Amino acid sequence: MKTDINLTEAEERLAQILWQESPIHSPELVLLASQLLGWKKSTTYTILKKLCDKGVFKNENAKVTALLTSDELLARQSRRYVEDSFGGSLPRFIASFIGGGKKLTQTEASELKQLIAEFESEGGNE
C-alpha cells in the first residue's frame, strides 16, 4: 500500500461518500454519486478506480470497501507533512505552529501534555 497518498478534490468528494456508506455495491455508489454530486456513471467509476489504485478503497465483485479510514489517511498525510517539512521532527512542527503568534489555549496545552504522557507510558517508539 502506498505511504504517500494525496487525493484530488473529486477523489475526496467520492471518498467522503464511501466512508459514510462503506461497504456499498458499486451500482448503489453510482446512484448516490449521481444524486449527491451530479456525476455520470463513467465519472464515478473513473474516480473510484483512482481511489482503489491509491489503496484507499477496494472494489471487488462490485462491492466497495474501505482499506483506510478517513482518520488513517489523515494520519498518514500528517506524518508525511511533518517528515517533508520538518525533517520528521514533531517538536519543530509544534514550535513552528505556535511560533507564528498562535497561542495554545490551556485546554490544547493540557491535551498535548496528556498525549505525551500516554506515549511515554506506552514506551514510545524505541
Side-chain angles (χ1 to χ4, degrees):
M1 195 175 302
K2 296 174 95 173
T3 56
D4 188 17
I5 301 172
N6 293 306
L7 302 184
T8 66
E9 183 180 335
E11 291 166 348
E12 178 69 32
R13 291 173 73 193
L14 189 61
Q16 291 301 325
I17 294 170
L18 285 165
W19 281 315
Q20 290 176 356
E21 303 295 331
S22 179
I24 186 172
H25 287 91
S26 51
E28 294 172 53
L29 177 61
V30 167
L31 182 61
L32 273 176
S34 174
Q35 293 170 344
L36 299 174
L37 305 173
W39 288 2
K40 295 180 180 179
K41 177 180 177 178
S42 60
T43 303
T44 301
Y45 279 118
T46 298
I47 301 301
L48 175 60
K49 181 175 181 341
K50 290 179 181 185
L51 288 168
C52 291
D53 289 346
K54 290 182 178 187
V56 182
F57 294 94
K58 176 175 69 169
N59 185 8
E60 196 169 72
N61 299 322
K63 184 177 180 182
V64 183
T65 55
L67 296 175
L68 292 176
T69 65
S70 61
D71 286 343
E72 289 169 334
L73 180 60
L74 182 59
R76 282 179 180 221
Q77 291 170 331
S78 299
R79 280 192 298 275
R80 174 57 87 195
Y81 178 76
V82 171
E83 287 171 13
D84 291 348
S85 301
F86 299 93
S89 171
L90 189 55
R92 281 184 52 210
F93 168 75
I94 293 172
S96 175
F97 183 79
I98 61 177
K102 166 87 167 101
K103 301 291 184 197
L104 290 178
T105 66
Q106 189 63 38
T107 302
E108 291 170 328
S110 294
E111 288 174 0
L112 283 172
K113 289 175 186 175
Q114 183 178 348
L115 284 171
I116 292 167
E118 288 172 7
F119 185 78
E120 288 176 336
S121 70
E122 293 173 359
N125 265 352
E126 298 181 24

